[in-house]
Amino acid sequence: MKRTLHDLASLAARMGVGGIFFANGWQKLEAGLNATADQFTALQAPLPHVWAPVTMLTELVGGTLLIAGLAVPAVGLLLFAEALAVFVVTAGDNGLPLTGGDIELIVALGAASVLLAVTGAGRISVDHMVVIKRREAEAAGEFAADAEADAVIAALRPPRPGEPGAGEPPPRTAPARPAPAGPASGDRQS
């Protein structure tokens, strides 16, 4: 029951955090990279024309991956780093490019992202399905290798009493007879 609650909570957190990041990335996409770069320029962010596409892609792709539950530890850390960078760049400004003016939301998104990175996606995720398939394939490979090794060992071992083929006595061979004595090379006939 506890594991199921953990999985449901992870799913809800992924959906909420990933959805917010995706929505903000989508907003930047709709506004256009130039408008987003202008917003970063107004905040005196370094390299605003680099920040605009990087944050947009990070939020769109990262939000999507988080929702799906794919590569959650790496994506969670990436989104945490992005939220931290936005927090530092915008420190206290009301025209925040990530949340529209809510500094507390940036802190909450960053904290939730790092928490998801540490706790993982849960069992209701693409990550979990990939891990299950990989483990099943490894187990099948190990089973096949074990079966092959057992067959080789069984072929090398003589049959034990009671096993098929053990009731027949080994074939007896007649003892070798000495060759008939013929004339010796040193004997002469008279």
Side-chain angles (χ1 to χ4, degrees):
M1 180 70 171
K2 185 176 180 183
R3 178 78 175 163
T4 302
L5 290 176
H6 175 269
D7 295 333
L8 291 172
S10 294
L11 176 64
R14 286 189 354 253
M15 299 295 272
V17 173
I20 291 170
F21 274 109
F22 182 84
N24 282 293
W26 188 260
Q27 182 181 11
K28 287 177 181 64
L29 181 65
E30 283 184 332
L33 291 178
N34 289 333
T36 304
D38 291 343
Q39 193 176 20
F40 279 115
T41 301
L43 294 170
Q44 299 175 351
L47 303 168
H49 290 289
V50 173
W51 268 88
V54 168
T55 57
M56 181 194 65
L57 285 173
T58 301
E59 292 169 0
L60 283 172
V61 174
T64 302
L65 292 175
L66 205 59
I67 290 169
L70 182 62
V72 169
V75 171
L77 289 177
L78 178 67
L79 292 174
F80 169 73
E82 197 255 347
L84 181 63
V86 169
F87 178 80
V88 168
V89 166
T90 60
D93 195 302
N94 287 336
L96 300 176
L98 177 64
T99 61
D102 195 357
I103 196 83
E104 291 86 10
L105 185 55
I106 289 179
V107 173
L109 286 173
S113 296
V114 79
L115 182 64
L116 284 169
V118 172
T119 61
R123 292 182 294 181
I124 309 170
S125 66
V126 174
D127 278 348
H128 186 70
M129 287 185 270
V130 168
V131 168
I132 287 174
K133 295 231 183 261
R134 186 179 329 131
R135 285 184 184 156
E136 286 175 351
E138 288 173 1
E142 288 174 9
F143 179 74
D146 287 346
E148 186 177 332
D150 289 344
V152 169
I153 290 170
L156 296 175
R157 181 175 19 122
R160 295 183 210 159
E163 287 183 351
E168 302 170 7
R172 300 185 99 194
T173 57
R177 294 185 182 181
S185 56
D187 291 343
R188 293 187 184 234
Q189 285 185 344
S190 1

